[in-house]
Amino acid sequence: MGGGIGLLIAGGLWLWLGLASLWYGWPDIRLAFGLTGQPGTAAVEKCVTTGSGKQTRTDCRGWFTPDEPSLSPRYVQLPPESGEGQEFRAQMRPDGEWARPSGTAGRLATLALPAFGLLVLTPVPLVLAFLLGKERRPGKVFVRTTIVLALAATALCVAGMVGAEI
């Protein structure tokens, strides 16, 4: 009985990790792909690094100039991977406090976290088929599909991490 509870807890944490990655990445995806917010251009004015070691944190701020000529520029927080003097296409959140890159690199960067969530969740059907199936061996097509999906999610996650550094 004790092993079953541990397996249930581990499975719950596994699902939580995958779903939380998707949940927390969704607002940035909506922003980067222009589904919400105000389009414009961001210019990084300054980046300040505080702390040391594992407690290091970088805060970047700059000006967001909306594409709409009737709106005035705003001083906003920008992603920590931004560099001083950098200028890029961006999308400002509806609250007007943050702007995220909306070009190809920015879109790729926002996909890294949800792709990780998909990677974590990809083997769930395979594991359930193994645990609940009568045969105890999922079919070859099922296994191959799971492998292809895991490789695609891994590629998207890596592309997102590389995109964040561009």
Side-chain angles (χ1 to χ4, degrees):
M1 185 72 165
I5 291 175
L7 188 60
L8 190 62
I9 290 171
L13 290 173
W14 184 6
L15 285 173
W16 177 82
L17 178 63
L19 292 173
S21 298
L22 291 171
W23 178 263
Y24 287 111
W26 183 246
D28 283 343
I29 286 176
R30 288 179 40 97
L31 197 60
F33 282 85
L35 300 175
T36 187
Q38 176 72 36
T41 304
V44 184
E45 187 173 274
K46 67 176 180 175
C47 291
V48 177
T49 302
T50 57
S52 62
K54 291 183 180 181
Q55 303 300 321
T56 302
R57 178 185 162 123
T58 302
D59 288 320
C60 292
R61 295 195 173 267
W63 289 96
F64 176 82
T65 306
D67 287 346
E68 179 75 31
S70 63
L71 299 173
S72 58
R74 293 189 65 143
Y75 196 66
V76 296
Q77 188 158 354
L78 299 167
E81 61 270 9
S82 304
E84 286 185 15
Q86 184 181 9
E87 195 170 301
F88 51 87
R89 292 290 303 153
Q91 195 84 2
M92 184 173 61
R93 282 194 335 202
D95 66 7
E97 298 294 320
W98 269 87
R100 300 282 304 169
S102 61
T104 303
R107 289 177 178 174
L108 278 174
T110 62
L111 292 174
L113 184 61
F116 174 74
L118 289 175
L119 178 62
V120 169
L121 293 175
T122 298
V124 169
L126 190 63
V127 170
L128 288 176
F130 178 78
L131 292 175
L132 304 175
K134 294 179 183 177
E135 288 184 25
R136 292 285 200 198
R137 287 191 74 181
K140 289 181 183 179
V141 173
F142 193 40
V143 171
R144 288 180 180 153
T145 302
T146 302
I147 291 169
V148 168
L149 289 173
L151 290 173
T154 301
L156 190 57
C157 190
V158 170
M161 289 187 290
V162 170
E165 296 301 319
I166 294 176

